[in-house]
Amino acid sequence: MRKKIVAGNWKMNTGKQEALQLVQDVLSSLSPLAAHQHLVFCPPFVHISSIQEVLRSGKSSNVHLGAQNCHDKASGAYTGEVSIPMLRDYGVDHVIIGHSERRQYFNESNEFIRTKVDALLAEGMRVLFCCGEPLEIRESGTQNEWVKKQLEESVFHLSPEQMKQGIIIAYEPIWAIGTGKTASSEQAQEMHAFIRHIVRTHFGESVADELSILYGGSCNAGNAAELFACPDVDGGLIGGAALKAETFLPIVAALR
Ligand code: PEP
């Protein structure tokens, strides 16, 4: 059975106390997760160490620590960057790559993202690979081509085995991120089915069947159940609604 996942992307939010409180509040009210259900916290780098301590004390093996970015080199003169081995030392096993905010504000290209994907897989990490189109592309009806190119240029060089072990896709239409404008369940299902179809064509049946494809973009307690009920939507990557236990927990509870 493929994994169903909710990942919270806290972005550049939360002070230290707030971050600790948030993770404690979520864990203390979290209903038991089934074997195929996974929860990933992706706090800012500076909170990873203290959150690792909280997770260690009550950790279920289905609760993971994620990072929002990494550098592709293991060490060196890259001021301000954080490497994959450093993250692994703190218990991080998932990393968000290709988020639209990194593409937009930090000029991350498909080619650069590919180097990070390769480096992460070489270190045994799981990649939360983000893709998704801007509004003008959606309005022109060419969103499938846009997303296909992102996948082709950053993950389609992988082997089926690497794909199976290391890649989770997050479809995040840019017009839905942080805007309060969610993709309809029909729009989400259509794109997720398309992604699974091109993965099937390129990597084969079993990779496509096992691939978790998450939806991201103004997902909240009110729409998560409908989105997660779509046959090709395997959970969500959650931004704003991940910042409070009371808005995040109902989304986790909507996992099937
Ligand atoms: C995100 O940035 O990954 C995201 C999905 O944000 P939001 O839920 O706030 O739209």
Side-chain angles (χ1 to χ4, degrees):
M1 185 171 195
R2 68 177 171 254
K3 291 191 175 99
K4 306 284 172 165
I5 302 162
V6 167
N9 172 16
W10 296 4
K11 310 193 187 191
M12 196 173 68
N13 292 300
T14 66
K16 184 175 180 185
Q17 283 317 316
E18 197 186 345
L20 285 173
Q21 194 63 53
L22 174 54
V23 82
Q24 277 160 355
D25 288 350
V26 171
L27 293 180
S28 63
S29 302
L30 184 68
S31 305
L33 295 166
H36 68 286
Q37 296 174 333
H38 294 254
L39 174 58
V40 188
F41 291 104
C42 302
F45 286 138
V46 291
H47 302 321
I48 283 175
S49 168
S50 37
I51 289 177
Q52 182 192 25
E53 296 306 317
V54 178
L55 295 186
R56 258 191 193 146
S57 51
K59 195 177 169 182
S60 126
S61 61
N62 291 13
V63 180
H64 302 264
L65 189 50
Q68 300 172 19
N69 184 32
C70 66
H71 197 272
D72 63 314
K73 303 286 187 301
S75 62
Y78 300 99
T79 302
E81 290 294 308
V82 174
S83 77
I84 300 163
M86 290 171 189
L87 293 171
R88 208 188 27 214
D89 278 353
Y90 287 94
V92 168
D93 56 9
H94 287 62
V95 179
I96 298 172
I97 289 297
H99 193 281
S100 61
E101 288 151 15
R102 300 239 27 117
R103 294 177 188 263
Q104 182 181 350
Y105 304 132
F106 302 95
N107 298 319
E108 293 197 5
S109 64
N110 287 344
E111 193 184 4
F112 182 51
I113 291 165
R114 171 183 165 138
T115 65
K116 295 192 190 197
V117 167
D118 288 342
L120 283 162
L121 294 184
E123 293 288 341
M125 291 277 191
R126 300 206 84 208
V127 177
L128 278 158
F129 179 86
C130 301
C131 56
E133 78 287 354
L135 184 60
E136 63 273 21
I137 294 295
R138 168 62 62 167
E139 285 175 345
S140 72
T142 56
Q143 63 274 9
N144 287 7
E145 290 81 352
W146 180 277
V147 167
K148 186 172 186 225
K149 185 170 157 67
Q150 290 179 321
L151 292 168
E152 280 176 348
E153 294 186 1
S154 301
V155 297
F156 272 25
H157 63 289
L158 299 173
S159 69
E161 226 23 71
Q162 285 177 308
M163 195 68 191
K164 238 186 222 181
Q165 275 162 19
I167 302 291
I168 298 158
I169 307 267
Y171 168 59
E172 300 206 304
I174 298 171
W175 46 271
I177 296 179
T179 59
K181 191 176 174 201
T182 319
S184 66
S185 50
E186 291 76 24
Q187 286 171 319
Q189 170 55 27
E190 197 181 347
M191 177 59 83
H192 285 227
F194 171 71
I195 293 171
R196 204 177 301 286
H197 163 72
I198 57 174
V199 166
R200 181 176 292 111
T201 306
H202 190 82
F203 293 101
E205 197 69 36
S206 74
V207 175
D209 282 350
E210 285 182 36
L211 179 69
S212 301
I213 308 177
L214 316 186
Y215 168 78
S218 299
C219 183
N220 58 41
N223 57 34
E226 186 182 336
L227 285 159
F228 298 174
C230 298
D232 288 295
V233 178
D234 304 310
L237 178 56
I238 315 300
L243 293 173
K244 286 199 166 60
E246 61 267 32
T247 52
F248 190 54
L249 282 163
I251 301 176
V252 181
L255 275 180
R256 302 204 144 208

